[in-house]
Amino acid sequence: MRESTLPGERDRQHLENSRPFPWDRSCDAPGWPAALDHILDLLEAAESRQKARRSADRDRLRCTLGSMLLGLYGAFRVDPERWLAYSRSNNDYGASHRYVHPDASATAVITAADFLVRAGFADHKLGSYDRSPNAFGGAGGKGYRSRLRARPSLVEALEVTFGITPESIGYSQWSELVRLKAAPEGPRGHKRLVPYGDTIETRRMREQLRDFNAFLTTFRIDLEVMEESTGEIDDEVDREDRPDARDRSATRLYRVFNNRRWDHGGRFYGGWWQALPKRDRARLLIDGEETVELDFKSLHPRLCYHLEGMPLGPEADPYVLPGLEGEAYRPVVKTAFNQLLNAGPGVQPKAPKGALARLPRRYTYKALLQLIETEHQPISGWFRSGRGVELQAIDSEMASAILGYLRGRGICCLPVHDSFIVPRSAEFVLGQTMNLAYHGTLGRFGSARAYPIISGWSSPEQERRVASSLNVPLLPIFPSR
């Protein structure tokens, strides 16, 4: 049963607790074809058409209805209050829109959505669009897409009558794994998925992702039982790319590029483990074996200095500032630093929730930002320039190399942007691979030798073994766990 909510909360919920419609879900339950045919028969029986649809149109409606049913069912089983946003515009469907079902059309989507609502299978919020200028004289055009949410009657019909289960839900082969987004629409605004023409490189990336995702399915990825999730996750991830740790079917990775450019971004998203706070990721198991997570520390600041021809020494910690030397201050300095790297021109980063409480008394967030810019003047060109996506392009190259090499060794590796999770028995190989990927990638940007800072070692001995095998210096500034 749904929990009751206040009227104001119900009004906002379809906006705040929503995701884009997942058009690429599939189902391998034996009863799924019969379930889809049954609901399609109900749809057509409720219509008042004078003549039957053409065979091609009926096939298109069947595929569209199937995608919508599986999307709604999967979302309900993760969160019964989850809404899914979809478009009722012809402009968002067709051959050029590689992110929705290839057979979907606005007509089929509207027909299926309206039936599901009339039949009592889904709740609905019709979208809106306001073309009028805003109150400050700027352009209008504000609105939101229509949204659907499964009702218990749909879930009961699929599960009780046809044997559909959450474990039977997966992803379709056509699912687009290489995604290109437009620039954000305003500060922290939505980044729209945009069409693109395939190249040799995009085809290569897509094939690599398909192979790697198939490789991941051969492993059992579990989480030790815990009372509740604690800590923070990456709040820079767009809502539509933020996975849900409760959706254990989400093991398929995809890559996202930004600003309509293939050299901006490219990080790997989609794994449910990415939604866990770091302290909870320590409870992950791969085929029943405990795991270790090794992390490139201070990666983006160190990349900035390297790209400016001034690589930081292994003893330097860019997140330590005068007057804020304690370990307690490091997380908030790191957050502010990365906000400056990702903020566009003229954007004033805001203090995240709880940030001010971590700073000395009467210390303002604005003062923290100014101190970072003063202390790191040599890389000032990277601040408030929106160039953080350039750094993501570099760390995604490293990640691609690391995942590819470990897959070749038969080792399951779970990426979390600049950190990597493997079975504990593979820690030594991961540490070597991270060092080599760092050197190999940065070698294209200058001749100066730069050393990565890697933390998360299970023991000082493991760190020493890797350092000795590669003849790199130990980095005592970050104590091993």
Side-chain angles (χ1 to χ4, degrees):
M1 180 176 295
R2 299 180 193 273
E3 296 181 1
S4 61
T5 55
L6 298 174
E9 292 175 338
R10 287 197 296 268
D11 290 341
R12 295 190 304 270
Q13 198 179 63
H14 71 287
L15 295 176
E16 296 177 354
N17 186 20
S18 70
R19 298 284 176 88
F21 217 101
W23 293 101
D24 54 356
R25 303 315 297 259
S26 66
C27 182
D28 61 8
W32 168 240
L36 176 54
D37 288 335
H38 172 70
I39 296 178
L40 179 59
D41 288 343
L42 293 178
L43 183 158
E44 292 187 317
E47 292 182 312
S48 56
R49 296 176 61 90
Q50 296 299 314
K51 58 181 181 179
R53 286 183 177 83
R54 295 182 306 169
S55 176
D57 291 338
R58 191 175 192 273
D59 289 344
R60 185 175 295 109
L61 177 60
R62 185 178 187 275
C63 290
T64 302
L65 177 64
S67 288
M68 298 181 77
L69 290 172
L70 293 177
L72 289 166
Y73 172 75
F76 184 97
R77 276 301 171 214
V78 171
D79 180 359
E81 299 296 337
R82 174 68 48 76
W83 293 82
L84 298 177
Y86 73 100
S87 172
R88 296 171 75 93
S89 169
N90 286 319
N91 296 330
D92 293 316
Y93 302 95
S96 65
H97 292 273
R98 58 175 67 233
Y99 309 106
V100 299
H101 195 288
D103 289 325
S105 67
T107 299
V109 168
I110 292 170
T111 299
D114 291 350
F115 162 74
L116 292 172
V117 175
R118 288 195 306 270
F121 287 142
D123 296 321
H124 193 230
K125 287 286 186 180
L126 195 63
S128 72
Y129 190 77
D130 183 5
R131 297 181 184 276
S132 61
N134 64 43
F136 302 98
K142 293 184 64 175
Y144 58 84
R145 290 189 166 186
S146 298
R147 283 162 167 77
L148 286 170
R149 178 178 64 182
R151 301 191 71 181
S153 56
L154 174 61
V155 176
E156 182 178 355
L158 293 174
E159 292 184 343
V160 176
T161 307
F162 297 100
I164 310 302
T165 65
E167 292 73 26
S168 67
I169 304 299
Y171 291 93
S172 302
Q173 281 296 312
W174 67 265
S175 178
E176 183 52 76
L177 303 178
V178 180
R179 306 183 182 187
L180 184 64
K181 290 190 174 185
E185 299 168 354
R188 293 186 65 85
H190 173 66
K191 298 177 183 177
R192 197 165 50 82
L193 286 165
V194 296
Y196 62 87
D198 265 324
T199 64
I200 293 176
E201 181 62 16
T202 59
R203 293 189 186 98
R204 182 191 64 81
M205 283 191 289
R206 190 178 299 112
E207 195 60 32
Q208 286 180 337
L209 284 160
R210 284 177 180 159
D211 289 346
F212 185 78
N213 287 331
F215 175 67
L216 277 184
T217 64
T218 65
F219 296 91
R220 189 177 74 255
I221 305 168
D222 299 316
L223 189 67
E224 289 181 346
V225 176
M226 56 187 179
E227 293 183 1
E228 60 179 301
S229 182
T230 56
E232 299 175 354
I233 61 174
D234 185 0
D235 65 355
E236 296 174 4
V237 177
D238 296 339
R239 179 190 294 267
E240 57 265 37
D241 293 318
R242 185 175 294 138
D244 194 314
R246 295 168 293 182
D247 184 5
R248 301 300 169 79
S249 70
T251 59
R252 173 214 51 170
L253 297 177
Y254 57 91
R255 296 183 71 176
V256 177
F257 295 84
N258 299 288
N259 301 330
R260 300 177 183 266
R261 293 180 55 164
W262 297 108
D263 57 350
H264 283 188
R267 281 180 160 182
F268 294 77
Y269 295 96
W272 64 266
W273 58 87
Q274 295 176 332
L276 295 171
K278 186 164 186 174
R279 69 178 66 183
D280 293 345
R281 295 199 297 267
R283 301 173 182 268
L284 284 166
L285 303 172
I286 296 178
D287 283 348
E289 182 179 348
E290 291 185 349
T291 58
V292 62
E293 179 175 0
L294 298 185
D295 182 11
F296 283 121
K297 300 297 290 187
S298 310
L299 179 60
H300 282 188
R302 298 181 75 83
L303 289 179
C304 289
Y305 274 96
H306 185 92
L307 295 172
E308 294 299 323
M310 298 172 287
L312 293 176
E315 75 289 345
D317 184 353
Y319 297 141
V320 172
L321 301 173
L324 299 174
E325 291 89 353
E327 187 63 26
Y329 300 127
R330 195 173 187 276
V332 69
V333 174
K334 175 181 177 180
T335 297
F337 200 118
N338 285 284
Q339 282 182 320
L340 287 170
L341 290 177
N342 288 288
V347 175
Q348 177 66 18
K350 304 296 183 183
K353 184 178 179 180
L356 293 178
R358 298 184 180 184
L359 294 172
R361 190 177 179 184
R362 292 190 293 274
Y363 205 106
T364 67
Y365 203 68
K366 182 178 180 180
L368 172 60
L369 296 171
Q370 290 175 339
L371 180 59
I372 293 172
E373 291 178 290
T374 298
E375 291 298 310
H376 294 282
Q377 182 62 32
I379 59 170
S380 60
W382 288 88
F383 295 138
R384 304 178 197 265
S385 62
R387 297 178 66 190
V389 285
E390 296 177 34
L391 303 173
Q392 290 181 16
I394 297 173
D395 72 46
S396 71
E397 283 190 41
M398 295 181 192
S400 180
I402 292 165
L403 296 178
Y405 179 77
L406 292 179
R407 179 189 170 234
R409 296 283 300 267
I411 297 171
C412 178
C413 180
L414 310 178
V416 190
H417 305 325
D418 56 7
S419 69
F420 303 88
I421 302 164
V422 295
R424 192 170 291 268
S425 59
E427 179 181 6
F428 177 79
V429 177
L430 174 61
Q432 284 189 320
T433 307
M434 289 173 68
N435 271 281
L436 294 172
Y438 188 96
H439 291 308
T441 303
L442 286 189
R444 298 189 294 104
F445 298 99
S447 58
R449 187 166 175 80
Y451 297 97
I453 294 178
I454 297 176
S455 70
W457 304 97
S458 61
S459 69
E461 289 73 25
Q462 279 282 35
E463 183 178 14
R464 283 195 288 269
R465 283 185 62 212
V466 170
S468 176
S469 69
L470 298 172
N471 192 28
V472 299
L474 286 172
L475 308 166
I477 190 167
F478 294 107
S480 301
R481 288 193 303 202

